[in-house]
């Protein structure tokens, strides 16, 4: 069992930005037998003084010091010697060694014996004597928290002690606030000021105490806490789960816990009520540095005079800082604003909001929100202003913010129908802005209030969108959207709703291959753009409908830009995914992601991850997929979370990571089957075929691939048939099914598969190279094809096949060239099983590198090379080794190229034998890399 650490380390203090203070304390404690010292920690409330005091006490105990503790209390400040009683009470048994007069002075001061009035000097001297007696037996550390609350009699004794500790083995540590009006005498004391934590220290503390916060919530907490440790620890605890995980937005002013509210309220309470109201105006203005001119105008609008005096008093209390040059003020700490808002009564806050609404330009967003906050009863004019502001906010891509504006407008609506209509708009904006839980809540409220007929289409569309994103449930889309399209067709005012509904129905049909859904899509395509027709053709039986789709896509999407309507962007992305044609449009994808709201951003991230896989950026694909899944899960978007998971699955399968793929399938397949998501079920089966191919298990690969697309057949419901096309041909050819492989290639050529997109064309060429009798010519056609380098994984597979064929023809030099290029291609991708097979073929091909154990063996390896060799021998992949050693997979591969010649081997499988370690496969047993058919071992 691991021992619990109780002694703080210097590293911990350094990490929090307290290294200077901690080093001084450590030295004072470690040298106490030679020199006693008095030290104060001084800083604002919540800055971490008490924590550092406790850590110092633990460190001192660890070094043999005896702790004596005192806790200052405001309620005991008028009780004479109350603090001294805490300090000395446990030592009174040792007072028998004192002179009688000294002992009597202490007993009178502490109230243990009746007698006359205690003489301050006598009590101080007797206290020092008693502490010195105890310290001779064991050095002492006096831990005094909140020195500013110590009673005056005890404070006098402590002043006496701190001047005379040099000759006594005692360290006296005390904490004191920086803002106390009457600071104790610091003579003989080393004062250590504690400021805010460093940014790194604040980040580390917040992650340690609250690891579950979303990135946006974490940034806000760090800003509001401004390096205050207490705030970093307590603020997240006042948020609900949705706010902590980023599913719900944070309030404009963060709620404070009891301790924080008390700390900051005490600082505000010293001001007069009019001055507090002036500061409330400043807090509600919403900017970091409100203009003094505007604050004065708002105060006049509220009927408050004396603003300059109020602000000067606040500055003297260190609550704000005035900059007369810029004409602005800043709060000394951001949480002062939260404390002001929390302390203000409802009527007071509405009065302040009304003042701002009265002086800001009419219609400006801040003016509208102030006006709404000042309104306590339904007011249709205010609701209309909020409604207008919400639409403007949506136009700028702020769907999440617009949702709250619509909801506030609903609350202030003058009639039931207006309330329902605005709640429906709030729900739609919420789901687009990444707030699924909030959208569901608004939907429920909208339904309860009733809707006018013209709003029912919005409500049905939103229901379908919420269910699809929240749980992958396409049933509402398939059931409701045909009716929505019927209702909005031919109505120009509902053009956006029609396009959005048509896209969502196409999406549901593509995921489910539902025949009825496709019929409804076809029934509503008349008069629509070719981009919309292309979305249908690329996903419904593309082998039979999508010829010339690549050319059509380029023409149809020339007008797509960051300013395009979101419905056009969705169609662009959906069609591009089917065709694999978005890989070269990274700049446009970046612009779109920054312009649009969360739903579109997540869509774009999934697209980028998929195209990173196609383009050979596999590590980046995995990073994008994992980050996207985490963000989607935090926001409640289960559908996107699963989409990101299967995007990562492409890399998992191609790298032959069996256990990871099994776990992914166990998680995804039941979920997808239950929802009728045949697209995901098909993709999982294709991944299983790919993983089997990676390990040379051709029978298994053929079984999986032919279950999707039997040789000579391309079923209409297998939408991305091209992603399993080459796998089926390879599995058939390498398992002795040459006629079946050729039959499948002939079908692809007959259906003009190459005219769908460049990626389809390249895969057809690669498959032809596998079955061709003229392997040289077929492979040359692959190498010469336009954009061959865009698909490095398939290119490396062709080179592997070509190299094996050349070796079998006796052309060993040419074979080494192709096989070496294949090894490099696979190694760069981290496709270790494929790379091992290519290396095995190189070895068979009489690789000129030495065969047999090299002289010197592992002695020739550097320390880093030996570590990598050991991990290879344990069965780890290049990526896993890189993660453990903080290297990239490509760097690991580079080391292996140096390791193999030194060990006298040609591939990964020989490492264990060379260094005397047993290699075990990741599934618990040994498995060799299988050669290609016809190769010689």
């Amino acid at each position: 069992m691991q021992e619990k650490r109780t002694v703080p380390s210097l590293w911990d203090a350094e990490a929090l930005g307290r290294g200077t203070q901690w080093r001084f304390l450590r030295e004072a404690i470690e040298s106490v037998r030679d020199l006693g010292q008095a030290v104060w920690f001084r800083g604002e409330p919540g800055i971490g003084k008490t924590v550092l005091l406790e850590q110092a006490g633990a460190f001192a105990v660890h070094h043999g010091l005896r702790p004596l503790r005192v806790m200052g209390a405001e309620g005991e400040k008028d009780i004479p010697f109350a603090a001294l009683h805490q300090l000395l009470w446990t030592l009174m048994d040792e007072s028998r060694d004192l002179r009688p007069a000294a002992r009597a002075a202490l007993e009178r001061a502490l109230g243990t014996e009746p007698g006359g009035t205690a003489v301050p000097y006598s009590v101080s001297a007797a206290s020092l004597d008693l502490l010195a007696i105890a310290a001779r037996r064991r050095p002492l550390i006096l831990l005094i928290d909140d020195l500013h609350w110590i009673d005056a009699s005890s404070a006098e004794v402590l002043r006496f002690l701190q001047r005379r500790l040099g000759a006594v083995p005692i360290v006296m540590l005390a904490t004191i606030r920086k803002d106390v009006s009457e600071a104790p005498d610091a003579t003989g004391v080393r004062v250590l000021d504690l400021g805010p934590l460093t940014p790194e220290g604040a980040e580390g503390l917040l992650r340690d105490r609250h690891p579950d916060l979303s990135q946006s919530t974490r940034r806000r907490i760090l800003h509001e806490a401004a390096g205050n440790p207490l705030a970093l620890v307590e603020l997240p605890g006042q948020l609900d789960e949705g706010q902590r995980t980023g599913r719900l937005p944070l309030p404009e002013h963060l709620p404070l816990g009891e301790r924080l509210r008390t700390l900051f309220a005490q600082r505000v309470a010293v001001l007069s009520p009019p001055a507090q109201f002036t500061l409330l105006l400043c807090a509600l203005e919403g900017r970091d540095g409100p203009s003094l001119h505007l604050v004065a105008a708002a105060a006049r609008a509220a009927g408050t005079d004396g603003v300059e005096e109020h602000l000067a008093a606040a500055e003297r209390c260190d609550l704000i800082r005035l900059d007369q040059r810029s004409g602005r003020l800043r709060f000394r700490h951001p949480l002062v604003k939260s404390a002001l808002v929390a302390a203000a009564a409802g009527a007071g806050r509405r009065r302040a909001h009304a003042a701002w609404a009265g002086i800001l330009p009419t219609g400006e967003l801040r003016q509208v929100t102030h006006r709404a906050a000042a309104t306590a009863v339904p007011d249709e004019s205010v609701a209309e202003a909020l409604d207008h502001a919400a639409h403007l906010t949506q136009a700028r891509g702020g769907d999440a913010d617009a949702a709250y504006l619509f909801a506030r407008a609903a609350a202030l609506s003058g009639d039931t129908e207006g309330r329902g209509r605005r709640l429906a708009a709030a729900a739609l904006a919420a789901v687009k802005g990444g707030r699924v839980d909030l959208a569901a809540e608004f939907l429920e409220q909208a339904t309860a209030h009733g809707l006018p007929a013209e709003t029912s289409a919005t409500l049905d569309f939103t229901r379908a969108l919420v269910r699809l994103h929240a749980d992958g449930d396409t049933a509402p889309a398939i059931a409701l959207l045909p009716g929505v399209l019927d209702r909005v067709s031919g109505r120009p005012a509902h053009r956006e709703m029609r396009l959005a509904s048509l896209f969502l129905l196409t999406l549901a049909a593509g995921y489910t291959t539902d025949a009825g859904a496709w019929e409804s899509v076809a029934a509503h395509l008349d008069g629509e753009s070719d981009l919309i027709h292309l979305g249908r053709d690329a996903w419904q039986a593309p082998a039979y409908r999508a010829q010339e789709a690549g050319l059509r896509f380029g023409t149809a999407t020339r007008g797509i830009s960051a300013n395009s309507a979101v419905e056009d962007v969705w169609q662009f992305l959906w069609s591009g995914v089917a065709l694999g044609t978005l890989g070269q449009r990274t700049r446009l994808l970046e612009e779109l992601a920054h312009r649009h709201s969360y739903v579109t951003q997540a869509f774009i991230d999934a697209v980028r991850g998929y195209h990173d896989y196609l383009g050979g950026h596999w590590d980046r694909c995995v990073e994008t997929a994992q980050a996207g899944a985490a963000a989607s899960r935090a926001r409640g978007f289960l559908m996107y979370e699963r989409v990101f998971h299967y995007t990562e699955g492409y890399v998992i399968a191609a790298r032959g990571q069996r256990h990871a793929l099994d776990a992914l399938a166990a998680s995804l397949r039941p979920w997808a089957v239950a929802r009728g998501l045949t697209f995901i079920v098909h993709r999982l089966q294709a991944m299983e075929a790919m993983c089997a191919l990676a390990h040379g298990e051709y029978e298994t690969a053929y079984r999986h691939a032919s279950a999707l697309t039997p040789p000579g057949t391309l079923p209409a419901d297998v939408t991305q048939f091209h992603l399993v096309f080459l796998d089926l041909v390879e599995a058939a050819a390498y398992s002795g099914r040459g006629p079946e492989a050729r039959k499948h290639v002939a079908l692809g050529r007959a259906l003009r598969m190459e005219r769908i997109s460049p990626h389809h064309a390249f895969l057809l060429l690669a498959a032809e190279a596998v079955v061709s009798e003229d392997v040289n010519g077929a492979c040359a056609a692959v190498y010469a094809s336009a954009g061959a380098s865009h698909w490095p994984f398939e290119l490396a597979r062709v080179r592997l096949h070509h190299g094996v064929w050349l070796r079998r023809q006796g052309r060993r030099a040419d074979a080494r060239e192709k096989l070496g290029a294949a090894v490099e291609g696979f190694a760069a991708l981290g496709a270790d099983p494929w790379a091992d097979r290519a290396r095995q073929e190189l070895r068979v091909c009489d690789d000129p590198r030495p065969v047999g154990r090299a002289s010197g063996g592992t002695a020739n390896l550097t320390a880093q090379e030996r570590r990598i060799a050991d991990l290879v021998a344990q069965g780890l992949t290049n990526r896993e080794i890189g993660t453990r050693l903080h290297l990239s997979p490509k760097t690991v591969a580079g080391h292996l190229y140096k390791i193999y010649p030194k060990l006298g081997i040609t591939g990964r499988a020989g490492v264990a034998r060379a260094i005397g370690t047993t290699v075990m496969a990741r599934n618990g047993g040994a498995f060799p890399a299988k050669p290609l058919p016809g190769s010689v071992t």
Side-chain angles (χ1 to χ4, degrees), residues 801-834:
H801 175 77
H802 194 187
V804 172
W805 181 85
L806 289 168
R807 177 187 59 75
R808 293 170 63 188
Q809 300 300 311
R811 298 169 56 179
R812 294 181 179 273
D814 293 337
R816 291 188 195 104
E817 177 191 349
K818 298 305 179 187
L819 293 172
V823 168
E824 291 178 3
F826 291 134
L829 295 169
D832 292 341
W834 295 89

Side-chain angles (χ1 to χ4, degrees), residues 470-609:
D471 192 44
D473 183 3
T474 58
I478 294 172
L480 297 174
L481 293 181
V484 172
L485 288 167
D486 290 339
R487 275 174 280 169
V488 300
S489 293
R491 303 173 67 179
H494 292 79
R495 176 66 179 162
E496 289 184 4
M497 177 60 63
R498 171 178 168 78
L499 292 177
S501 298
L502 189 54
F503 167 76
L504 193 60
L505 186 58
T506 305
L507 187 74
Y511 273 128
T512 62
T513 65
D514 183 277
W518 279 125
E519 289 176 5
S520 295
V521 170
H524 292 90
L525 283 178
D526 289 345
E528 296 299 343
S529 69
D530 190 51
L531 181 59
I532 296 175
H533 282 267
L534 184 60
R536 187 272 307 267
D537 294 342
W539 284 96
Q540 186 188 13
Y544 306 94
R545 310 182 65 101
Q547 283 68 27
E548 314 302 336
L551 295 175
R552 291 167 59 195
F553 181 77
T555 301
T557 61
R558 283 175 186 162
I560 296 294
S561 70
N563 296 319
S564 296
V566 66
E567 294 79 16
D568 291 334
V569 172
W570 289 348
Q571 288 285 358
F572 162 72
L573 294 170
W574 186 234
S575 301
V577 167
L579 302 175
T581 56
L582 296 177
Q584 307 307 311
R585 303 191 180 207
T586 55
R587 177 175 296 181
L588 176 58
L589 293 179
E590 289 287 345
E591 292 174 354
L592 292 172
H594 284 96
R595 170 66 175 79
H596 291 280
S597 61
Y598 175 75
V599 170
T600 308
Q601 291 170 13
F603 196 169
I604 291 169
D605 283 343
V607 169
R608 286 192 293 201

Side-chain angles (χ1 to χ4, degrees), residues 537-850:
D537 294 342
W539 284 96
Q540 186 188 13
Y544 306 94
R545 310 182 65 101
Q547 283 68 27
E548 314 302 336
L551 295 175
R552 291 167 59 195
F553 181 77
T555 301
T557 61
R558 283 175 186 162
I560 296 294
S561 70
N563 296 319
S564 296
V566 66
E567 294 79 16
D568 291 334
V569 172
W570 289 348
Q571 288 285 358
F572 162 72
L573 294 170
W574 186 234
S575 301
V577 167
L579 302 175
T581 56
L582 296 177
Q584 307 307 311
R585 303 191 180 207
T586 55
R587 177 175 296 181
L588 176 58
L589 293 179
E590 289 287 345
E591 292 174 354
L592 292 172
H594 284 96
R595 170 66 175 79
H596 291 280
S597 61
Y598 175 75
V599 170
T600 308
Q601 291 170 13
F603 196 169
I604 291 169
D605 283 343
V607 169
R608 286 192 293 201
Y610 169 63
H611 282 280
D612 277 339
Y613 163 71
L614 294 182
H617 305 291
W618 287 5
D619 288 343
R620 192 166 68 196
C621 171
V622 171
E623 291 170 3
T624 299
Q626 291 178 348
S632 299
R633 181 169 56 253
R635 290 174 174 265
F637 279 73
L638 182 59
M639 181 64 180
Y640 271 127
E641 180 189 358
R642 300 306 175 92
V643 167
F644 280 116
H645 283 323
Y646 82 67
T647 300
E648 183 181 2
Y650 289 119
V651 176
I652 291 172
R655 283 177 168 167
Q657 296 171 343
R658 301 172 188 267
H659 293 320
L661 184 59
D662 288 345
L664 178 66
S667 170
L668 274 183
R669 183 173 276 120
W671 175 85
V673 169
R675 289 157 180 77
L677 299 173
T678 55
F679 169 76
I680 293 180
V681 176
H682 290 165
R683 293 314 317 138
L684 287 172
Q685 189 150 18
M687 290 173 192
E688 288 166 335
M690 170 63 70
C691 190
L693 270 182
H695 293 287
E697 297 168 355
Y698 304 116
E699 286 291 340
T700 302
Y702 180 79
R703 186 176 71 252
H704 285 302
S706 62
L708 280 179
T709 57
T713 306
L714 292 177
D717 63 347
V718 181
T719 51
Q720 288 187 306
F721 72 91
H722 62 297
L723 295 184
V724 76
F725 190 87
L726 177 59
D727 299 346
L728 174 68
V729 171
E730 278 194 10
Y734 296 165
S735 63
R737 297 178 174 88
E740 287 89 341
R742 288 188 289 274
K743 181 180 181 181
H744 207 61
V745 172
L747 176 65
R749 182 61 73 186
L751 291 175
R752 299 183 301 167
M753 169 181 165
E754 75 280 2
R755 302 186 70 171
I756 296 177
S757 79
H759 191 208
H760 287 75
F762 182 79
L763 290 170
L764 180 59
L765 284 175
E768 287 178 331
V770 172
V771 301
S772 176
E773 293 184 2
D774 180 14
V775 176
N776 254 344
C779 290
V782 172
Y783 306 146
S785 64
S789 61
H790 294 165
W791 302 287
F793 179 48
E794 289 87 354
L795 181 61
R797 290 164 65 178
V798 172
R799 284 170 170 160
L800 174 58
H801 175 77
H802 194 187
V804 172
W805 181 85
L806 289 168
R807 177 187 59 75
R808 293 170 63 188
Q809 300 300 311
R811 298 169 56 179
R812 294 181 179 273
D814 293 337
R816 291 188 195 104
E817 177 191 349
K818 298 305 179 187
L819 293 172
V823 168
E824 291 178 3
F826 291 134
L829 295 169
D832 292 341
W834 295 89
D836 286 345
R837 286 164 52 198
R839 291 190 188 99
Q840 185 180 18
E841 292 295 336
L842 267 176
R843 183 177 70 250
V844 175
C845 198
D846 295 329
D847 192 309
R849 288 175 288 190

Side-chain angles (χ1 to χ4, degrees), residues 149-232:
W149 296 132
I150 297 297
D151 61 276
S153 302
S154 299
E156 182 62 37
V157 175
L158 295 177
R159 271 195 297 271
F160 181 90
L161 294 176
Q162 68 195 24
R163 297 171 182 172
R164 294 165 174 80
L165 290 181
V168 190
I170 297 175
V171 174
M172 184 172 76
L173 304 183
T175 67
I176 185 171
R177 286 189 185 176
K178 192 174 183 178
D179 57 355
V180 293
S181 56
E182 295 182 7
D185 183 5
T187 304
V189 176
R190 172 66 182 270
V191 179
L192 302 178
D193 285 311
L194 299 181
L197 299 182
T198 63
E200 297 77 13
E203 174 81 15
L205 179 60
L206 188 59
R207 286 192 181 278
D208 179 67
R209 296 299 185 90
H210 301 284
D212 61 328
L213 298 180
S214 69
Q215 185 176 1
S216 59
T217 302
R218 188 178 307 281
R219 284 198 301 266
R220 176 72 182 280
I221 295 291
L222 288 169
H223 171 74
E224 294 285 334
N228 185 292
L230 180 61
L232 290 165

